[in-house]
Amino acid sequence: TTHDIFDEGDFVAVDGGVPDDANEDSVEVANAKKRKNREKGLNALKRRVLTLGCHNERLQVVPVHWKFPKMTFQQLCFNWNVMNTKENVPPYSLLMRYHVSHLKQGSSNLRKMKTIMTVVERIGRERGCWYDGKNWNVVQVHSMIEGVAPDLQRLLNLKSSNRMKELSWKTIYSKMSSVNLFGGKGNGRGRRRVG
């Protein structure tokens, strides 16, 4: 047997069925509501683009043989905000630790990516180039990168914003950490002594 899974918001409310003493009109109205409800549910299924699978003893949103690819900072920004339809992977911003805990350093890498993107989001909001919606597109991500690049270039002491986009995301993480962009006490590296 197969079971359809529907989102709560995909249904039209139907009041408790049809009473025994209902006339033909109320039966038709109730049946029409049921049909409309079912059609909305089926349409919701058609709109879905991710396929879930069960592996590593969990229901997963990432394919069984998928792993984080080697990425530049620019590619991280795109993967963080836009779904990879070719590999059937949601935007990384939607991934949770348990989705990637089966990968070698998966949870750690996801945490580092999130830390980078938190800084990028903060700068993007300050510059007015951060899109607040859930469904980013390639143009919005590109515009956001262009908006935050000058500030990141200055903060990371890089000569070119183009060079920054080409660096690996792990190098950007190290540079952000060394200049203490993550806030908090950090590990002490990159702090400038006054006096």
Side-chain angles (χ1 to χ4, degrees):
T1 14
T2 61
H3 299 284
D4 292 336
I5 302 172
F6 299 102
D7 294 331
E8 229 175 87
D10 293 331
F11 291 99
V12 175
V14 178
D15 297 332
V18 180
D20 293 338
D21 60 345
N23 62 29
E24 284 184 35
D25 289 339
S26 61
V27 171
E28 284 183 34
V29 168
N31 287 336
K33 284 183 179 179
K34 286 180 184 177
R35 276 193 305 278
K36 185 174 181 182
N37 199 19
R38 176 144 176 78
E39 285 173 22
K40 280 187 96 175
L42 292 174
N43 287 335
L45 282 177
K46 289 177 187 174
R47 285 191 309 268
R48 290 192 178 158
V49 290
L50 279 177
T51 304
L52 299 177
C54 189
H55 58 88
N56 298 321
E57 300 177 10
R58 305 194 153 246
L59 189 61
Q60 294 283 2
V61 295
V62 294
V64 66
H65 296 294
W66 179 84
K67 61 183 181 179
F68 285 121
K70 290 184 178 181
M71 295 179 284
T72 64
F73 168 72
Q74 186 169 357
Q75 290 168 329
L76 169 62
C77 290
F78 281 101
N79 285 326
W80 190 258
N81 293 301
V82 180
M83 179 180 171
N84 182 338
T85 53
K86 182 178 177 185
E87 293 186 18
N88 195 39
V89 176
Y92 294 179
S93 62
L94 299 179
L95 294 177
M96 299 297 200
R97 181 185 52 79
Y98 55 83
H99 291 132
V100 296
S101 60
H102 65 284
L103 302 174
K104 182 178 179 185
Q105 296 185 341
S107 297
S108 172
N109 283 338
L110 183 63
R111 179 184 46 78
K112 289 176 182 178
M113 290 175 199
K114 181 176 183 146
T115 305
I116 290 171
M117 293 309 297
T118 300
V119 172
V120 170
E121 180 179 349
R122 185 178 71 232
I123 294 169
R125 286 187 187 282
E126 289 171 3
R127 295 287 169 236
C129 59
W130 187 264
Y131 174 67
D132 277 328
K134 288 182 181 178
N135 298 319
W136 285 65
N137 62 42
V138 174
V139 173
Q140 290 165 328
V141 176
H142 184 70
S143 174
M144 179 272 299
I145 293 170
E146 293 302 315
V148 300
D151 286 357
L152 283 176
Q153 175 189 347
R154 181 182 46 79
L155 291 167
L156 300 177
N157 300 316
L158 297 170
K159 293 180 181 169
S160 159
S161 62
N162 285 334
R163 173 73 178 129
M164 179 202 64
K165 296 174 202 171
E166 296 168 0
L167 292 174
S168 80
W169 71 268
K170 289 182 179 182
T171 301
I172 294 293
Y173 180 85
S174 295
K175 287 185 175 291
M176 284 182 169
S177 181
S178 70
V179 296
N180 203 19
L181 277 184
F182 303 136
K185 293 182 180 177
N187 58 13
R189 294 184 314 187
R191 290 188 187 173
R192 294 185 178 96
R193 293 186 181 202
V194 179

